[in-house]
Amino acid sequence: MTACAIEDGTAAAVEAGETGEPGSENPEGAAEPPDPATDATEDAGAGAAEPPVPPVPAPGPAETVLPTAPPAFTITANGAYAARLTAARGEAYGTGEAGTAGAPDTAWFPERWTLDGPEPYAVPLPLNQPEEADSQVLPLADGRVLIRRRVADRHALSLLYPTGPGTGELPLGAVECAELTLLPPSPDGVSAYALAAGEHSTGLWLVAGGPSGPERIAELPGRCSGGVWLDRAGRLLALDREPAQGGPVKAVAVDLGRGGEMTPLLQIAPDSDDRLLLADPDSGLLLIRSDAPGHDRLGWGVLGSCLPVRFPECLRLPDAAVTPFAVQPGQMLMPEDCAVALRIDGAAGSWVGVWRPSGRRLHQLPVPEGWLAGSGVWSHEGVLGLPYANGETACAVAFLAVPDDGEPAAGRCPAGYPQSGMQPSAAVAPPSVCRPVPLGQAPLVGRTAPR
């Protein structure tokens, strides 16, 4: 069985009741966002939309309400396109009907963003009636947008694209199941996959890019969720799997080239929940969330490495949740040099953190007003682009030049963090009592996941 151990002695620190950062003057204080007034970002303004655009007017920023589940803003693997479900006045459709998001005067429609041109621009993709708030959209590399809609006891799938003065729609078929969740965009740019979780197993569906409509390609034992791609070909998929009979959640690797063959990927401790949050196919860097140290912690490892998983202390903020959302690409064989963008959610809102395993520092940076929280794209040179929409622009990207680990962060550091938003990676602690076991290479041919 593939396994890995804990480093930095964090389990002992948790058992000792430590809740704050080492060296913090206010270990129990709430994290505060940096001051946006000190932001040194360079904003890319909104460009002209593709002519012609659908006649439905784009909503004003004050009318935009982003859904919280599924993710509001999804970017293709190559960073060229993005899509979201956004809201406008119901009168824009000529119906006057209320949307289903809880506001009596809103209606939902898909919107596609183009991010790889000189300036970003958005194209609304409404049809003749508003969408439901629980619909899900996914951009493809050719600019089309896949939409999943719930229709009675099935899920209908279609491709949307701008055409003439309106929106074109290509129906793909439907999947009959209680729940269907689209997985993150495939690295190949043309395929789209979805999970249909059942009581004892989970169906893995190819819902776009196949020869003839939605196709179930595997039935996976247990309840699977998540979804992280491990390679650039779109063949190796990591999922978080809970056994059908109950038990800890473990990340597994699914080989789509072998009919959905499943092999273990993470096994930090026998009874720990070990989830994979993010992976970089170029370097093999893995971002992991596990409760092996005593409660949920953010850690990192390297696919195929013999080193144990590490849980940096700098990623453990008091009264704030830290979630990785983008890894700098192109760092071949250099996982410790990859810059990782993290969404930090505190009582005062959401802002960005940037961290590199080699630097062992967390830079906390201000974000543009209207940032689509949890979304962003790295360039190979290490510049982070953050999409946003606010009262001044409906589509823009702010670029953050991330400071080196030896430099202070540009924004005002949160209270209780005297080192300009940078904290050491770990406290001084005795060696871990866990025996280091390698984090193995996936897929492991010939091995199967426990049932």
Side-chain angles (χ1 to χ4, degrees), residues 14 17 41 47 50 62-63 66 90 109 137 141 169-170 190 238 250-251 305 339 348-350 356 369 377 392-393 420:
V14 171
T41 60
E50 289 183 351
E63 299 168 1
L66 299 178
F109 70 91
V137 293
E169 180 176 12
L170 176 64
V190 297
K250 301 292 182 183
S305 172
S350 299
R356 297 178 183 88
E369 180 185 358
V377 179
E392 297 181 357
T393 178
S420 299

Side-chain angles (χ1 to χ4, degrees), residues 50-128:
E50 289 183 351
V53 298
V56 177
E63 299 168 1
T64 299
V65 182
L66 299 178
T68 56
F73 195 82
T74 305
I75 304 174
T76 56
N78 63 0
Y81 292 100
R84 66 170 177 166
L85 198 66
T86 189
R89 297 284 179 182
E91 289 81 355
Y93 290 88
T95 63
E97 296 178 358
T100 56
D105 59 348
T106 57
W108 298 96
F109 70 91
E111 184 180 66
R112 190 201 71 190
W113 288 36
T114 299
L115 302 175
D116 61 347
E119 292 184 344
Y121 61 91
V123 177
L125 296 173
L127 293 170
N128 57 358

